[in-house]
Amino acid sequence: MEKKKLVMIGNGMAGVRVIEDLLKINRDLFEITIFGEEPHPNYNRIQLSNILQGEMRFEDTIINNWDWYKDNGIQLFTDEMITKVDPQHQLVYSNKGQVLSYDELIIATGSKPFILPVPGAELSGVIGFRDIEDCVTMMEVAKQHKKAVVIGGGLLGLEAAKGLLHLGMEVDVVHLVEHLMEKQLDPVASSMLKQALEEQGMNFLMPKSTTEIVGTDRVEGVRFSDGSEVQADLVVMSAGIVPNIDFIKGSDIYINRGIVVNDYLETNIPHVYAVGECAEHREVVYGLVAPLYEQGKVLANRLCGVKEEGYEGSLLGTQLKVTEIDLFSAGEIYDDASTKSIKVHNEYEGVYKKVLVRDNRIVGVVLYGDTKDSSRLFRMLTNKEDISDQATISFLLAPGADATTDVGAMPDNEVICGCNGTTKGTIVDAIQQQGLATIEQVGGCTNAGRSCGRCKPLIGEILEHALGSDYELTAQKETLCGCTTFSRDEVIDEIKDKGLTSPKEVMMVLNWNEEQGCSKCRPALNYYLGMINPEYKDDRNSRLVNEKLHANIQKDGTYSVVPRMYGGVTTAEDLRKLADVADKYNVPLVKLTGGQRIGLFGLKKEQLPQVWEELGMPSGYAYGKTLRTVKTCVGSQFCRFGTQDSMSLGIELEKRFERLDTPHKFKMGVSACPRNCAESGIKDVGVVGVDGGWELYVGGNGGTDLRAGDFFCKVKTEQEVFEMTGAFIQYYRETANYLERTSHWVDRLGLDHIKEVVADVEKRAELNATLQKTVSRYEEPWQKINEDESIREAYFKTTTIPVPVQ
């Protein structure tokens, strides 16, 4: 049966969750195309504040990486917006000239920041806080400026303010009313929050009404309705959000505040649906992730023809992601004549708890300073449980009165992960039926803990309760990924003992939870199989996306071409080739890289084979977990200070070890003297020329975690450099975890231990022999690609989508 065409506009958390659920129900029903306005795969926006606060990297927030889309047959267009929808002809139009037809259309474009309509709002330095680009802007501004103003004292505003404090800026928070987070907190909790944030360094201007952003080309300050002003180098608008739906205005799709949908997320137009922050359901537009995921599940069932009750709306629970601040609120916040309140207020320990009750049922919860009861109280609120038999306030115990959560006494319907609506019963069933043993595995199977992450300690307690003593054993080991209970060492032992020969065979024999594995374990298994068996035939489909295509994908979806220049040395002939190719293919950027090479940036995927054929140069592996570069200075051949011939040694090292797979990218440097012009002191292996020989340094890293290399040994000859370096690399290959840099590996194993291994003459010879046998199996990738039509068809052919005739 021919697949239906499903087009989704938007690549955010709500929309992609629909696709995830849909694939679980029936992965063969639709041919899926997704358009994303940003140049990234799907990432967790909830964690943006943690990026600003220095607790996470952007890479850690990726929910579905590039491989996930490819593995599931999804065509993803990033950095591309849909500018027009034609429901009558079932067409969508993009800003890059694409016109696509659809059978079913999902609009999941989310929201955008509400920018106050005041003079100066268009100035440089005035931004919202909704995506990773806003985070990047804040980080860049913080390097040069020190005064920030955040307009809005709600959730996002306070999280942005905390991040800016972490970046070293002075921060004023401007709020229109007298209390922070007035929609979630009553005055008592709000004042406690304000005091705690002031102690962290925030300054509050409230109540204040902004009337103008002051500045010429760039923001210089903020003016208020009372005539006062405050200086500002950066203004972050966090005064609310509005659905991102301008592109459908003028169509027949009905809009109120958002795109109006029914209980099945259907719009007034057949075959058009909306989900997430752009959708309006029963006059409500939701801005938190939990209801968006509930909507996504209903829509996935609707698209797959599964009968289910529709979406009836959500009761929201709110948490603030600011270090050292613990708060939760849900339901009604303010007392009225029809409610009675139960309160605990411990000013000394900074704890405030309030439960609002109407007709013997909880209708509202405010917790500050101690939120361990939040899941239980939220369940009682959502289930409208009768609490008349609870004569005491035992469910509002003071801190320390009940130090641990009794997960055994929790009912199965208690929600553990509020973001994903995952209950204790769902988690326990998954643990028992799937053999799960870690928090990561529970998340991979049930989605619990994959959003804000606050429920992870509780998931750990459930694991401990469900597994008993077995949990103590599994908790102490790090599994390869969430698909298996085996550790890295156990997997390697099983491959050796059972003679396993492919990633698929490993996953089948070792009873992987996910039949196809995931983007974490597949490349790891592929690497370990090749490390164990020098004659292993590489499984290209188990590679990370850059390594599959032998090119680095850039933020706009184009690719880079970086040929090998051994030791950073080139020729006039090669420079002419690069210039001719750059002209012929209108390459947007030609740049010297940090590894002393020339890169061509901005090429389309289908251009890559022809470009490499015309260059006729070997791949520089700028994309791979392999030897990237050997950086050299000009050395004794030209430099008056050089004591050794660094260029010749660097070129030979690069030729000996090029293409070799390593657990992570591997960089080397060869300096002719201790002046270290090739930066050998911050390389995985650094070689420094001295009088009478060479000094070797290992475990250096010039990346995010800057680490100086450790002195390893001193040798007299180049042959000794080759032997010591080869043994070091091979021992790293055999004992490091996949994606573990040498800097972390050296710290983990210990420098003295590694020295002892490599210093042993017999062991060193054995390591080098294995290394040379492994190196001999590699082929030049682009030569192979240009000789093999099947590879070009599978990986580099772009499918042309016909434009429908209107």
Side-chain angles (χ1 to χ4, degrees), residues 61-344:
T61 71
I62 299 295
I63 300 174
N64 303 95
N65 63 18
W66 301 105
D67 282 339
W68 178 83
Y69 295 89
K70 185 174 180 62
D71 293 343
N72 287 289
I74 298 169
Q75 177 71 64
L76 173 64
F77 295 103
T78 56
D79 209 17
E80 188 164 357
M81 302 185 319
I82 294 299
T83 55
K84 178 185 174 184
V85 174
D86 180 357
Q88 183 179 355
H89 298 95
Q90 296 187 199
L91 300 171
V92 294
Y93 296 76
S94 85
N95 64 332
K96 293 188 176 179
Q98 287 204 72
V99 182
L100 263 68
S101 63
Y102 64 83
D103 296 307
E104 310 288 352
L105 176 67
I106 302 174
I107 302 174
T109 46
S111 63
K112 55 187 178 182
F114 173 66
I115 303 298
L116 295 176
V118 296
E122 74 287 348
L123 289 172
S124 175
V126 179
I127 64 172
F129 180 39
R130 293 300 292 167
D131 58 32
I132 188 61
E133 294 306 315
D134 294 327
C135 287
V136 171
T137 299
M138 293 184 204
M139 293 173 181
E140 291 301 317
V141 171
K143 293 176 182 178
Q144 302 177 12
H145 303 283
K146 291 302 173 188
K147 195 70 177 66
V149 171
V150 176
I151 299 177
L155 274 172
L156 281 179
L158 296 178
E159 290 174 2
K162 176 61 178 178
L164 291 167
L165 280 177
H166 173 79
L167 294 172
M169 299 193 80
E170 299 174 28
V171 183
D172 290 320
V173 177
V174 177
H175 199 45
L176 187 61
V177 297
E178 294 183 357
H179 298 113
L180 297 173
M181 292 182 63
E182 72 282 358
K183 293 181 180 179
Q184 293 88 18
L185 302 179
D186 65 6
V188 176
S190 178
S191 64
M192 295 175 75
L193 172 64
K194 179 173 179 286
Q195 181 180 347
L197 293 175
E198 285 174 334
E199 290 172 359
Q200 292 189 16
M202 284 186 210
N203 182 51
F204 293 94
L205 304 174
M206 48 195 287
K208 290 279 188 181
S209 175
T210 302
T211 58
E212 185 179 357
I213 308 297
V214 181
T216 50
D217 296 326
R218 180 177 179 82
V219 60
E220 297 172 10
V222 180
R223 184 171 297 143
F224 306 110
S225 58
D226 60 7
S228 62
E229 294 185 13
V230 64
Q231 180 188 348
D233 303 309
L234 173 72
V235 173
V236 179
M237 295 265 194
S238 188
I241 58 175
V242 292
N244 184 19
I245 53 176
D246 290 344
F247 68 98
I248 64 166
K249 291 179 180 178
S251 72
D252 295 328
I253 301 171
Y254 182 55
I255 299 172
N256 188 30
R257 286 178 56 211
I259 301 171
V260 177
V261 296
N262 63 16
D263 290 357
Y264 294 94
L265 289 309
E266 299 165 320
T267 70
N268 63 307
I269 303 294
H271 308 293
V272 179
Y273 312 85
V275 67
E277 293 175 334
C278 65
E280 178 181 337
H281 174 264
R282 298 188 185 183
E283 300 184 348
V284 177
V285 176
Y286 293 96
L288 296 177
V289 72
L292 310 187
Y293 284 170
E294 292 177 36
Q295 292 176 2
K297 184 177 180 182
V298 171
L299 179 51
N301 283 322
R302 165 69 182 81
L303 288 165
C304 293
V306 177
K307 291 185 178 180
E308 184 186 326
E309 293 182 6
Y311 174 67
E312 297 181 354
S314 300
L315 187 64
L316 303 180
T318 300
Q319 293 178 319
L320 179 67
K321 295 180 295 301
V322 169
T323 308
E324 299 175 8
I325 301 292
D326 207 11
L327 68 80
F328 174 85
S329 74
E332 299 180 28
I333 304 303
Y334 299 100
D335 307 62
D336 62 32
S338 67
T339 61
K340 293 181 179 179
S341 63
I342 305 170
K343 296 179 182 178
V344 171

Side-chain angles (χ1 to χ4, degrees), residues 661-682:
D661 285 326
T662 48
H664 209 299
K665 59 186 177 184
F666 198 97
K667 298 180 181 181
M668 300 173 66
V670 183
S671 298
C673 75
R675 286 177 174 80
N676 231 327
C677 293
E679 301 166 348
S680 303
I682 53 170

Side-chain angles (χ1 to χ4, degrees), residues 473-615:
L473 298 174
T474 58
Q476 293 174 12
K477 75 177 181 183
E478 182 180 350
T479 61
L480 190 64
C481 71
C483 299
T484 179
T485 58
F486 286 91
S487 68
R488 176 258 187 206
D489 291 342
E490 289 170 340
V491 167
I492 288 175
D493 288 342
E494 291 289 328
I495 291 172
K496 290 178 178 177
D497 292 345
K498 293 182 169 60
L500 306 178
T501 59
S502 71
K504 188 172 183 179
E505 188 177 24
V506 173
M507 290 185 280
M508 181 179 67
V509 172
L510 301 187
N511 295 314
W512 241 238
N513 297 325
E514 294 292 332
E515 184 180 347
Q516 301 297 322
C518 69
S519 58
K520 183 176 181 181
C521 64
R522 285 197 309 273
L525 290 176
N526 188 54
Y527 170 74
Y528 293 138
L529 285 160
M531 178 269 292
I532 293 166
N533 179 12
E535 297 176 358
Y536 169 71
K537 185 177 180 181
D538 182 71
D539 181 5
R540 191 189 197 98
N541 285 324
S542 292
R543 291 277 188 175
L544 297 170
V545 63
N546 286 343
E547 295 175 333
K548 284 180 190 175
L549 298 176
H550 287 283
N552 257 341
I553 190 169
Q554 307 300 307
K555 64 182 290 185
D556 62 354
T558 61
Y559 292 82
S560 62
V561 164
V562 185
R564 181 76 71 184
M565 290 183 177
Y566 296 101
V569 177
T570 187
T571 64
E573 181 184 1
D574 282 345
L575 290 175
R576 289 190 190 93
K577 290 179 184 177
L578 286 162
D580 290 343
V581 166
D583 281 343
K584 179 175 178 178
Y585 292 92
N586 195 25
V587 174
L589 175 67
V590 180
K591 187 183 184 307
L592 292 170
T593 71
Q596 297 182 330
R597 302 188 294 206
I598 296 176
L600 308 179
F601 295 82
L603 286 153
K604 296 178 181 178
K605 181 173 66 174
E606 61 270 22
Q607 294 175 320
L608 295 175
Q610 188 65 31
V611 165
W612 280 106
E613 186 174 13
E614 292 182 23
L615 286 173

Side-chain angles (χ1 to χ4, degrees), residues 15-29:
V16 176
R17 176 55 65 87
V18 177
I19 303 301
E20 288 179 341
D21 289 339
L22 186 151
L23 291 171
K24 290 177 182 177
I25 300 169
N26 188 344
R27 62 184 305 110
D28 299 319
L29 191 59

